[in-house]
Amino acid sequence: MDQSMSSKSAETPTNADGFGLGWYDKRPTPGLFRSIRPAWNDFNIRDLVAHIESHLFLAHVRATSLATVQETNCHPFRYKNWLYVHNGEIFGVEAIRKQLMAAVAEELFTEILGTTDSEVMFTWR
């Protein structure tokens, strides 16, 4: 919540375009919570994190660059037992996006739910 209110970026003073939390516990697939609300304005997050017990978690606050504000564009991204977050923009990705998408493995292509450059890079190999 603090990080979402005090961005170090010169372009935006806050990270208000959503957030996400992923965590590993005893289950084979990591837990995932994502929201398009700013972290400081989500009524559920304080209660949720008070109940999660984890030895490993990933959190991300979002200030969008190119992709729209929608839940599927909020990090972390999850595939099986993997979580992924990426902070920043992959500059020039628009010029090679079609080629990147074509290079995504067939079995991973349907896992891409959003429109971010980060999610494409997560599934690309």
Side-chain angles (χ1 to χ4, degrees):
M1 289 182 175
D2 291 341
Q3 185 179 1
S4 65
M5 288 294 289
S6 57
S7 171
K8 303 238 187 272
S9 168
E11 296 172 12
T12 176
T14 62
N15 292 302
D17 297 324
F19 71 98
L21 177 66
W23 65 94
Y24 291 88
D25 54 25
K26 296 176 184 176
R27 294 167 186 82
T29 305
L32 186 63
F33 179 81
R34 299 184 296 186
S35 174
I36 60 170
R37 290 176 178 254
W40 70 83
N41 194 29
D42 190 282
F43 301 109
N44 298 308
I45 191 65
R46 286 191 193 271
D47 192 60
L48 181 66
V49 298
H51 290 274
I52 295 173
E53 292 186 28
S54 176
H55 65 283
L56 178 61
F57 69 92
L58 295 166
H60 188 270
V61 291
R62 187 165 188 256
T64 187
S65 51
L66 298 173
T68 58
V69 177
Q70 62 189 45
E71 201 167 286
T72 55
N73 284 340
C74 293
H75 307 216
F77 301 110
R78 176 177 60 190
Y79 175 70
K80 295 185 180 180
N81 66 329
W82 292 91
L83 290 173
Y84 176 79
V85 297
H86 170 253
N87 188 31
E89 178 182 334
I90 301 169
F91 293 103
V93 74
E94 306 84 28
I96 60 168
R97 184 175 182 83
K98 185 176 181 180
Q99 292 87 350
L100 288 173
M101 294 293 285
V104 171
E106 188 79 26
E107 68 273 12
L108 296 177
F109 193 80
T110 58
E111 299 294 322
I112 300 174
L113 303 176
T115 59
T116 66
D117 52 358
S118 300
E119 189 176 22
V120 171
M121 294 309 293
F122 177 46
T123 57
W124 184 73
R125 57 177 166 152

